[in-house]
Amino acid sequence: PQRTALFALRATQATPTYDASQWADEPALRIGHGFDIHRMLPYGSDEVNGPVTIGGVAFDDFELGIVAHSDGDVVYHSVVDAIFGALTLPDIGQFFPDTDPRWKGAPSGVFMAEAWRQMDARGYRIGNIDVTLIAQAPRMIVKDHPKAEEGKPYDHKLEMVDNIARLLGCPPSRVNVKARTHEKVDSVGEKRAVSCHVVAVLERKP
């Protein structure tokens, strides 16, 4: 009886009304979240579509390849979905469906370019991008890497920051890339997948 009375009360409560003029202008800030995950398998598997590519960095010397319709870049895909979400647009799978042969093996920079175009057309630019990559492997900080400075390990995340900033037309100081393992738990922790979360803040262009 109490629950019935509560439901009846809610049903009779007035629905809020909004003056259209209150919503006429775009907000100063928009916030979106993106997530992606892709499986990894050994080279030679029919499902592998190329090397694991993360944030525009191809890990050609890694023993596993990516399972995806495009190049399977979890960072780029998550960034795109975060921007689309902030703009209240459909998700990346609707923009670039995996049933469309045009996107077979496509570099995810193409998707980033479309996210930038949509953002720019609405009068926004990047406020900041915060990336959390979750991967047991490949490793992001590598000793004795060919690109490393003498006596220092090479940090792939810094290259990813530069790639994201270049594609989205913003200073690198607006982009952050963090990485963590999954403590050997589930498919990510067992090196069977790689995943990523992204939060994007868009700001109105002056």
Side-chain angles (χ1 to χ4, degrees), residues 1-60:
Q2 290 180 334
R3 292 185 63 178
T4 302
L6 178 61
F7 291 150
L9 176 62
R10 289 176 176 171
T12 59
Q13 288 176 338
T15 302
T17 57
Y18 303 100
D19 182 352
S21 65
Q22 293 178 287
W23 301 94
D25 295 328
E26 291 271 24
L29 296 175
R30 284 180 172 269
I31 301 173
H33 172 261
F35 171 76
D36 195 29
I37 185 170
H38 280 289
R39 290 187 296 135
M40 301 185 294
L41 287 173
Y43 280 104
S45 169
D46 292 339
E47 295 183 83
V48 169
N49 195 39
V52 174
T53 301
I54 303 172
V57 177
F59 290 83
D60 296 304

Side-chain angles (χ1 to χ4, degrees), residues 182-204:
H182 214 238
E183 301 296 337
K184 300 182 180 181
V185 176
D186 69 28
S187 60
V188 175
E190 294 169 357
K191 302 181 185 180
R192 293 186 288 112
V194 59
S195 66
C196 182
H197 288 271
V198 169
V199 175
V201 175
L202 311 185
E203 62 184 24
R204 289 284 293 171

Side-chain angles (χ1 to χ4, degrees), residues 24 30 62-63 84 125 170 201 205:
R30 284 180 172 269
F62 184 48
E63 67 268 20
F84 284 172
R125 65 185 184 185
C170 68
V201 175
K205 293 188 290 186

Side-chain angles (χ1 to χ4, degrees), residues 54-55 57-59 61 138-142 145 147 153-163 177:
I54 303 172
V57 177
F59 290 83
D61 57 350
R139 297 186 66 82
M140 294 298 110
I141 298 179
V142 183
H145 191 277
K147 295 182 180 179
Y154 184 75
D155 190 347
H156 287 291
K157 300 193 301 298
L158 300 179
E159 189 176 350
M160 295 174 190
V161 166
D162 289 340
N163 290 340
V177 176

